[in-house]
Amino acid sequence: MPTSLAAYNEAFMAPLTFDAGFNGFLVSNEDLACKLPTGIPELAELHDRIAGQAIRKFESRTGTTHRARQAIARRLPDGTPLRSAIADELKMGDHTFQRRLTSEGISFTELVDDTRRELAQHHLADPRVTIPEIAYLLGYADQSTFFRATHRWFGESPGEYRTRVFDGLAREIEAARQN
């Protein structure tokens, strides 16, 4: 049990029991039936579509590729990871790792680039993350290399891509409100 319950009481506004035989919380049917006061119905369809895309992307990934993508993402802030280092992290030899990626239809270079592109899309959609921070998180030594990569991936600079994403989101919200 924590020494102070103040933060828990403020967050849950309900009695709490620690070291109990059940880990969870109970919500009444009445509360479940209530609409969220902060909910925006126009965004529900957009969120459903984004979640569906993420699930389809996750389901389409196979074992080695998916695990390697996670390992690459963790190592990117230190620069471009070496294939042998990722193979070691996945507890397999370099040649075995390369053979498995080939059988899954992707090269290590393509996997690193795809991982960077997906992370760039994610980070550029978050206005709290600056473009220099994104370049660092993706393992680029300088911003100019990141700018060249975004031009290759998206046909525009990181700032232009970010503006287009936000403008598109605003249009989708407005269209959903009108329907």
Side-chain angles (χ1 to χ4, degrees):
M1 183 167 165
T3 55
S4 172
L5 296 179
Y8 293 94
N9 290 332
E10 184 179 329
F12 291 101
M13 295 186 286
L16 300 173
T17 304
F18 289 86
D19 297 322
F22 167 72
N23 289 322
F25 57 93
L26 301 174
V27 180
S28 71
N29 287 335
E30 181 181 309
D31 287 338
L32 286 174
C34 290
K35 289 188 177 188
L36 290 174
T38 58
I40 301 173
E42 296 85 4
L43 291 178
E45 184 179 323
L46 176 64
H47 290 156
D48 287 346
R49 188 177 37 181
I50 292 169
Q53 288 171 346
I55 289 169
R56 283 189 297 282
K57 189 179 283 188
F58 179 75
E59 288 172 343
S60 70
R61 293 182 180 158
T62 54
T64 302
T65 301
H66 179 67
R67 290 175 43 230
R69 197 177 295 270
Q70 292 175 326
I72 290 166
R74 282 191 299 274
R75 289 175 176 254
L76 280 175
D78 297 327
T80 303
L82 297 174
R83 185 181 68 212
S84 58
I86 300 300
D88 284 347
E89 187 172 329
L90 299 180
K91 308 280 190 257
M92 61 179 76
D94 189 36
H95 292 295
T96 302
F97 177 54
Q98 184 175 359
R99 212 172 32 253
R100 288 192 183 169
L101 290 179
T102 301
S103 73
E104 294 176 12
I106 194 164
S107 71
F108 182 72
T109 303
E110 291 170 326
L111 186 59
V112 171
D113 193 57
D114 286 351
T115 302
R116 280 181 162 148
R117 180 183 42 76
E118 285 183 14
L119 289 171
Q121 288 175 307
H122 171 76
H123 292 311
L124 287 169
D126 184 349
R128 298 170 297 179
V129 186
T130 67
I131 290 174
E133 287 172 326
I134 297 170
Y136 165 76
L137 291 170
L138 299 181
Y140 289 109
D142 55 59
Q143 287 185 54
S144 64
T145 310
F146 175 51
F147 273 65
R148 284 193 301 277
T150 58
H151 273 283
R152 183 170 40 85
W153 295 325
F154 314 124
E156 56 197 347
S157 73
E160 292 167 336
Y161 177 87
R162 179 173 265 175
T163 300
R164 185 172 51 82
V165 167
F166 291 143
D167 289 348
L169 180 59
R171 280 192 300 277
E172 287 190 35
I173 291 169
E174 185 57 36
R177 283 191 174 143
Q178 291 175 358
N179 290 335

